């Protein structure tokens, strides 16, 4: 059955959820660690169209997911979509932060859903409506780079310019003291 095959695929896939979505946008079945957040019958907004594959962000009542999908065809007739999703949560933010060595803030509909920076910095970022460049957040200057803007979701990378300057000054003073 489709449900059984989806469960088998989910066991071999690192995604948080693997789902089959019907042509009307309703979830037919889901499997994986986050399957409970993708209940059957729930409408999910994924890109339509004729492209065979896509990447996007899907927002469900239980959270937002970065999704990759492939159209399922029977001959030349579309019958659904296979979707793999990664939860836009604290674990994902931490993975991105570890890979980039920068702070990460993830927002959905202008609300912070995950962060690796202090809460005040994330709150000031949302309030500033900044999307790139340098901006003062929580009385410190930060360099901001957008990583993803997809629908209502935003992922920002942040690095404290002031912290970098403090470290450079400390290292220079230490070097002078050892002369």
């Amino acid at each position: 059955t489709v449900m059984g095959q989806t469960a088998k695929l989910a066991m071999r896939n690192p995604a948080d959820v693997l789902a089959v979505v019907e042509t009307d946008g309703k979830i037919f079945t889901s499997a994986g660690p986050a399957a409970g957040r993708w209940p059957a019958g729930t409408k999910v907004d994924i890109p339509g169209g004729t492209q065979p594959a896509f990447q996007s962000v899907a927002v469900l009542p239980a959270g937002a997911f970065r999704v990759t999908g492939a159209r399922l065809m029977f001959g030349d007739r579309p019958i659904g979509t296979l979707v793999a999703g990664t939860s836009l949560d604290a674990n994902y933010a931490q993975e991105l932060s570890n890979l980039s060595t920068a702070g990460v803030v993830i927002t959905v509909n202008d609300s912070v859903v995950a962060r690796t920076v202090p809460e005040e910095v994330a709150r000031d970022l949302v309030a500033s409506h900044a999307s790139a460049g340098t901006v003062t957040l929580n009385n410190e200057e930060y360099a901001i780079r957008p990583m993803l803007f997809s629908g209502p979701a935003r992922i920002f990378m942040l690095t404290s310019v002031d912290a970098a300057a403090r470290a450079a000054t400390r290292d220079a003073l230490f070097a002078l003291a050892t002369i």
Side-chain angles (χ1 to χ4, degrees):
T1 68
V2 173
M3 292 177 202
Q5 292 303 314
T6 303
K8 285 181 187 177
L9 280 173
M11 290 189 314
R12 295 187 183 116
N13 189 308
D16 293 322
V17 67
L18 195 66
V20 175
V21 178
E22 298 177 67
T23 56
D24 65 358
K26 290 183 182 174
I27 298 166
F28 178 73
T29 188
S30 64
R37 295 166 56 193
W38 283 65
T42 301
K43 181 99 167 140
V44 62
D45 187 21
I46 56 173
T50 58
Q51 71 269 33
F54 63 86
Q55 289 190 348
S56 185
V57 171
V59 179
L60 285 90
F65 291 78
R66 185 161 186 184
V67 295
T68 300
R71 307 285 177 222
L72 299 173
M73 305 291 287
F74 185 73
D76 62 350
R77 183 174 156 236
I79 58 170
T81 306
L82 181 64
V83 177
T86 301
S87 182
L88 296 180
D89 59 13
N91 291 334
Y92 187 65
Q94 190 61 57
E95 283 181 40
L96 293 176
S97 182
N98 292 346
L99 290 170
S100 67
T101 65
V104 172
V105 175
I106 301 173
T107 66
V108 175
N109 293 320
D110 292 325
S111 294
V112 175
V113 296
R115 62 183 169 75
T116 62
V117 298
E119 181 179 349
E120 299 81 12
V121 171
R123 184 181 56 240
D124 286 358
L125 174 65
V126 171
S128 75
H129 300 287
S131 60
T134 57
V135 67
T136 300
L137 306 171
N138 195 32
N139 300 316
E140 271 197 51
E141 189 174 6
Y142 280 83
I144 301 168
R145 295 183 313 264
M147 185 187 153
L148 173 79
F149 279 32
S150 181
R154 308 280 184 266
I155 301 177
F156 299 96
M157 307 300 236
L158 296 84
T159 302
S160 171
V161 175
D162 291 343
R166 282 192 299 272
T169 301
R170 182 184 62 244
D171 292 347
L173 290 174
F174 181 74
L176 285 173
T178 58
I179 295 177

